Amino acid sequence: MQGITRWIGNEGILRDVSLSLHAGQSCAITGPSGSGKSTLLNLIGLLDQPCRGRLVLDGCDMMHATADQRAITRNRLLGFVFQSFNLLPRLSILDNVALPLSYRGVGLASARQAATLQLEKVGLAHRARNRPADLSGGQRQRVAIARALVTGPRILLADEPTGNLDCETAQAIIELLCRLNREQGMTLLMVTHDPAMAQRMQRRLLVRDGGVFDA
């Protein structure tokens, strides 16, 4: 991104931010509450639009992309993990993970096969028939990670992925994210308020006073 500015009302949350991320890099986004950490992640994830500047993903300038173009790029390039899991309670774990593939027109059998492989990677293939309410918070976050990975994203965006978890479970989730980053060469960008979690990343960014700085 180059010269990115995002205003909310009369307040400049991010002002003239320029940032480059290398493929395969793990990076923490840190900073005070309300500083714009999630706003930065949402801009990179094409969930929000900058007011000014240039935003390039995978060589394509997304600044003036249509809503359909942004949706296609999100589905092709990006995976998302949120603090609140965002699993659909009426669907099985397997079908929650398979859901993003349905947006690509993948058939149910193939989508479930791909979802099973991702559940195996996060150690939950044996809970495929359960529903989210049957799982612990840490298990639900593992399901959310499997769902984010089922489309084969090149960039994984995680917004406080351990915020609702106890310390032991949070450590296990970070271990999983770091392993996936190493083994799959997937770029990992994570918002966190926890300095210990941030230290696990190869690069740390500090969002403060409308700017983004290497910490």
Side-chain angles (χ1 to χ4, degrees):
M1 55 173 58
Q2 296 177 343
I4 289 292
T5 294
R6 180 67 173 98
W7 292 86
I8 299 179
N10 293 322
E11 183 179 2
I13 300 299
L14 297 172
R15 297 188 294 273
D16 198 27
V17 170
S18 294
L19 173 67
S20 295
L21 295 172
H22 299 299
Q25 187 177 52
S26 64
C27 181
I29 299 175
T30 65
S33 179
S35 61
K37 301 185 298 297
S38 293
T39 297
L40 177 62
L41 197 74
N42 288 340
L43 288 170
I44 295 171
L46 304 180
L47 298 174
D48 194 4
Q49 285 186 285
C51 300
R52 185 171 64 236
R54 187 166 181 256
L55 178 61
V56 178
L57 280 178
D58 197 31
C60 298
D61 190 346
M62 302 303 299
M63 185 63 184
H64 301 294
T66 66
D68 284 347
Q69 289 170 333
R70 295 165 70 85
I72 290 169
T73 299
R74 280 195 301 269
N75 191 259
R76 178 179 62 85
L77 188 65
L78 304 171
F80 299 88
V81 179
F82 300 101
Q83 182 176 348
S84 57
F85 316 136
N86 291 345
L87 301 176
L88 298 181
R90 294 186 179 182
L91 293 184
S92 68
I93 296 307
L94 182 65
D95 286 339
N96 263 283
V97 175
L99 189 60
L101 291 175
S102 69
Y103 300 139
R104 291 187 173 182
V106 176
L108 181 60
S110 297
R112 283 178 168 172
Q113 184 178 22
T116 299
L117 291 175
Q118 294 304 325
L119 285 171
E120 288 173 354
K121 290 181 181 179
V122 301
L124 284 176
H126 64 293
R127 303 300 298 270
R129 298 298 177 185
N130 290 107
R131 294 189 178 185
D134 301 324
L135 274 59
S136 68
Q139 289 173 325
R140 279 180 276 173
Q141 193 60 293
R142 287 175 178 268
V143 173
I145 291 169
R147 180 187 58 193
L149 297 178
V150 76
T151 58
R154 293 173 58 183
I155 304 170
L156 182 64
L157 306 175
D159 194 354
E160 296 280 10
T162 62
N164 287 332
L165 307 176
D166 62 74
C167 290
E168 183 177 354
T169 306
Q171 287 291 342
I173 292 298
I174 291 299
E175 290 286 349
L176 174 61
L177 289 173
C178 290
R179 177 171 61 80
L180 292 168
N181 167 250
R182 290 192 307 269
E183 293 178 355
Q184 300 188 19
M186 174 186 57
T187 304
L188 172 61
L189 190 57
M190 180 180 71
V191 168
T192 182
H193 68 280
D194 189 330
M197 300 295 180
Q199 286 296 324
R200 299 293 304 274
M201 303 294 105
Q202 296 168 335
R203 184 180 181 187
R204 288 162 294 283
L205 298 173
L206 173 64
V207 183
R208 184 181 62 197
D209 300 327
V212 179
F213 313 93
D214 276 289

